[in-house]
């Protein structure tokens, strides 16, 4: 790392980039164009006085100390922890402008990485901007005094929080009751994290506690029963620990009080979702997302890669003669099996393994892919191309890996039929998109 310049600089923000930062250029030096500087909590066009906090050979990071020329789009945040908490990034501008920022970032990533200039309208699907999360995971501190919260911005230091305006009302009630319990109880188990998961109606809550490896089953059971009593809407508490025996990174279940899963009802289907299993977090847009992904498409065979609990495959089953749903997780796969109609064939495998096994053996009418932030990767893209599916629906939570994967699919003859930005994560830089590809 190069030495950090301590003297203040006056910079103008050119644009916002994925990750929440604003991009500015430092003054031109002997090498030509000024080095890029990334500054959080700013807006395009603002003039700011900054202090550099980190310098790398190709870029710098900085902290905005003073707004010299604020944007007309700047507003006050809706959360008292904003800028101290690392969870939100855009509360300093109104929601309509947040959507404009995200659309510009998505298009810029497609242009820069995939060399794709959208010739179709990017259709934006907004969300209610607050209380949208049905799942929230917080850090727990027992000593020297109890605290519950998130990491501070750009650190691993705990910031105690007693409310979270982007979480559902029931989750906020649970946070308040958890604080009361922590302050008044002798905590027997060294808790590290707590996750609250609310059902679609925000009327039931599943709690998962994460503790240190040395915790005994007896003490875990006692703590689980105690936590279940703090709020009537808590239908179950699951205590898990990270174990060296779990080579796949999934926690080991230690104790359960009450239920270990929720039933999540949508307009199209109901789903059993176990503690720790993946499910979409925006409780307002799940129905719209399902309709958008499954669409009017129909046919003989559809494949749902990264199927999770079967959010899409259960609906596709009503439009296709057979659906093949692929999921590798030992937590999500039993839920997928439980939620799947009779014409859904479930496969516990990675997407890469499944595509290789099916290569040349099955004619597929539609493939739905909903990968993690790391995207599909070259091997899965190659398998999709080899499948010769006439339609692919790509659900992405990262515009950079989406653009990388689209580059490979477009070069193989696919084209974008529809492009959608689905804002599952208001107030944050995260964005979801759905691309319908045809060949």
């Amino acid at each position: 790392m190069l030495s950090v310049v301590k003297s203040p600089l006056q910079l103008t923000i050119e644009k916002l980039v994925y990750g929440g930062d604003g991009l500015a250029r430092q003054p031109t030096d002997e090498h030509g164009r000024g080095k890029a500087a990334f500054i959080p909590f700013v807006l395009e066009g603002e003039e700011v006085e900054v202090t550099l906090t980190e310098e790398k050979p190709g870029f710098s990071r900085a902290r905005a100390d003073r707004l010299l020329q604020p944007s007309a789009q700047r507003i006050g945040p809706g959360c008292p922890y904003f800028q101290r908490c690392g969870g939100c990034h855009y509360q300093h501008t109104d929601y309509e402008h947040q959507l404009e920022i995200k659309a510009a970032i998505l298009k810029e990533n497609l242009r820069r990485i995939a060399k794709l200039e959208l010739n179709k309208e990017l259709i934006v699907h907004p969300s209610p901007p607050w209380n949208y999360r049905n799942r929230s995971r917080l850090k727990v501190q027992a000593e020297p005094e109890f605290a519950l919260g998130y990491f501070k911005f750009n650190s691993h230091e705990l910031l105690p929080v007693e409310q979270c305006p982007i979480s559902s009302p029931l989750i906020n009630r649970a946070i308040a009751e958890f604080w009361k319990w922590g302050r008044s109880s002798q905590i027997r188990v060294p808790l590290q994290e707590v996750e609250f998961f609310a059902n679609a109606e925000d009327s039931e809550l599943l709690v998962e506690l994460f503790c240190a490896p040395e915790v005994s089953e007896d003490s875990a059971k006692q703590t689980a029963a105690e936590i279940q009593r703090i709020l009537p809407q808590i239908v179950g508490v699951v205590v898990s620990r990270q174990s060296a025996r779990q080579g796949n990174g999934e926690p080991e279940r230690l104790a359960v009080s009450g239920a270990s899963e929720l039933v999540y009802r949508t307009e199209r289907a109901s789903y059993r979702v176990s503690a720790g299993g993946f499910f979409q977090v925006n409780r307002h847009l799940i129905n719209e997302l399902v309709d958008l992904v499954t669409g009017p498409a129909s046919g003989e065979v559809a494949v749902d890669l990264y199927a999770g609990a079967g959010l899409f495959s259960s609906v596709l089953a009503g439009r296709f003669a057979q659906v093949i749903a692929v999921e590798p997780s030992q937590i999500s796969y039993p839920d997928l099996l439980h939620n799947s109609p009779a014409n859904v064939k479930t496969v516990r495998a990675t997407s890469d393994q499944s595509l290789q096994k099916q290569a040349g053996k099955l004619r597929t009418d539609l493939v739905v892919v909903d990968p993690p932030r790391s995207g599909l990767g070259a091997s899965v893209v190659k398998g999709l191309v080899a499948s010769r599916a006439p339609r692919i629906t790509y659900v992405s939570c990262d515009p950079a890996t989406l653009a990388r994967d689209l580059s490979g699919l477009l070069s193989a003859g696919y084209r974008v039929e529809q492009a959608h930005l689905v804002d599952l994560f208001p107030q944050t830089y995260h964005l979801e998109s759905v691309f319908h590809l045809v060949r």
Side-chain angles (χ1 to χ4, degrees), residues 99-231:
L99 295 175
E100 293 171 2
I101 291 168
K102 292 184 179 184
I105 288 172
L106 177 56
K107 289 178 181 178
E108 193 274 336
N109 274 266
L110 294 173
R111 189 181 303 118
R112 177 173 51 86
I113 300 171
K115 305 298 184 278
L116 172 63
E117 195 73 47
L118 281 179
N119 57 9
K120 303 283 184 182
E121 176 191 4
L122 177 62
I123 303 169
V124 177
H125 303 259
S127 165
W130 301 103
N131 297 127
Y132 63 85
R133 289 192 66 96
N134 60 28
R135 190 191 297 262
S136 298
R137 185 162 173 164
L138 296 91
K139 306 295 177 183
V140 181
Q141 173 187 286
E143 300 292 341
E145 59 184 10
F146 177 83
L148 181 68
Y150 299 115
F151 282 143
K152 291 182 179 179
F153 176 73
N154 205 24
S155 87
H156 286 89
E157 183 181 350
L158 181 70
L159 173 71
V161 304
E162 298 194 33
Q163 59 175 291
C164 178
I166 64 172
S167 296
S168 80
L170 181 56
I171 289 176
N172 273 287
R173 287 179 61 191
I175 290 172
E177 293 301 322
F178 206 89
W179 268 101
K180 290 179 184 177
W181 170 80
R183 285 167 169 154
S184 63
S185 301
Q186 181 178 0
I187 302 176
R188 306 180 191 86
V189 170
L191 299 178
Q192 298 171 332
E193 294 178 291
V194 57
E195 183 170 278
F196 303 108
F197 178 38
N199 66 350
E201 298 81 15
D202 206 34
S203 61
E204 294 183 347
L205 200 66
L206 184 64
V207 179
E208 187 167 11
L209 304 173
F210 298 88
C211 61
E214 66 272 14
V215 172
S216 70
E217 290 188 19
D218 285 345
S219 58
K221 288 178 182 177
Q222 292 175 11
T223 300
E226 196 173 333
I227 294 296
Q228 191 174 5
R229 291 192 292 268
I230 70 173
L231 196 65

Side-chain angles (χ1 to χ4, degrees), residues 120-423:
K120 303 283 184 182
E121 176 191 4
L122 177 62
I123 303 169
V124 177
H125 303 259
S127 165
W130 301 103
N131 297 127
Y132 63 85
R133 289 192 66 96
N134 60 28
R135 190 191 297 262
S136 298
R137 185 162 173 164
L138 296 91
K139 306 295 177 183
V140 181
Q141 173 187 286
E143 300 292 341
E145 59 184 10
F146 177 83
L148 181 68
Y150 299 115
F151 282 143
K152 291 182 179 179
F153 176 73
N154 205 24
S155 87
H156 286 89
E157 183 181 350
L158 181 70
L159 173 71
V161 304
E162 298 194 33
Q163 59 175 291
C164 178
I166 64 172
S167 296
S168 80
L170 181 56
I171 289 176
N172 273 287
R173 287 179 61 191
I175 290 172
E177 293 301 322
F178 206 89
W179 268 101
K180 290 179 184 177
W181 170 80
R183 285 167 169 154
S184 63
S185 301
Q186 181 178 0
I187 302 176
R188 306 180 191 86
V189 170
L191 299 178
Q192 298 171 332
E193 294 178 291
V194 57
E195 183 170 278
F196 303 108
F197 178 38
N199 66 350
E201 298 81 15
D202 206 34
S203 61
E204 294 183 347
L205 200 66
L206 184 64
V207 179
E208 187 167 11
L209 304 173
F210 298 88
C211 61
E214 66 272 14
V215 172
S216 70
E217 290 188 19
D218 285 345
S219 58
K221 288 178 182 177
Q222 292 175 11
T223 300
E226 196 173 333
I227 294 296
Q228 191 174 5
R229 291 192 292 268
I230 70 173
L231 196 65
Q233 289 81 5
I234 296 177
V235 297
V237 179
V238 176
V239 183
S240 301
R241 65 182 173 190
Q242 207 65 39
S243 170
R245 298 195 302 270
Q246 301 293 107
N248 58 8
E250 294 183 341
E252 176 189 7
R253 186 168 293 181
L254 195 59
V256 178
S257 177
S260 61
E261 69 278 326
L262 275 183
V263 175
Y264 204 100
R265 295 177 178 86
T266 72
E267 290 178 357
R268 304 297 181 197
S270 292
Y271 304 88
R272 188 189 80 181
V273 185
S274 296
F278 175 77
F279 203 75
Q280 295 290 349
V281 303
N282 188 308
R283 64 196 188 95
H284 300 301
L285 289 186
I286 288 179
N287 292 317
E288 189 168 349
L289 178 66
V290 169
D291 287 347
L292 181 60
V293 170
T294 59
S298 61
E300 289 299 313
V301 179
V303 175
D304 182 15
L305 302 179
Y306 315 91
L311 181 63
F312 303 132
S313 54
S314 292
V315 178
L316 289 169
R319 298 174 182 160
F320 287 82
Q322 183 183 27
V323 176
I324 299 171
V326 181
E327 173 57 46
S329 167
Q330 68 173 5
I331 296 176
S332 292
Y333 183 76
D335 288 339
L336 174 63
L337 197 60
H338 178 273
N339 297 330
S340 292
N343 63 329
V344 175
K345 177 184 177 183
T346 61
V347 178
R348 187 175 174 197
T350 67
S351 296
D352 191 15
Q353 290 167 342
S354 176
L355 287 170
Q356 288 183 21
K357 188 174 181 179
Q358 293 174 18
K361 299 177 182 178
L362 189 68
R363 188 189 184 285
T364 303
D365 299 303
L366 170 70
V367 179
V368 173
V369 294
D370 184 11
R373 297 194 191 284
S374 55
L376 302 175
S379 181
V380 174
V381 169
K382 183 179 178 181
L384 287 173
V385 172
S387 76
R388 301 192 62 80
R391 306 185 68 87
I392 296 174
T393 298
Y394 192 143
V395 185
S396 168
C397 57
D398 187 296
T401 56
L402 165 71
R404 178 204 66 198
D405 295 336
L406 283 182
S407 181
L409 293 168
L410 296 175
S411 65
Y414 285 94
R415 61 180 175 83
V416 176
E417 183 182 54
Q418 290 183 24
H420 301 261
L421 192 164
V422 188
D423 193 29

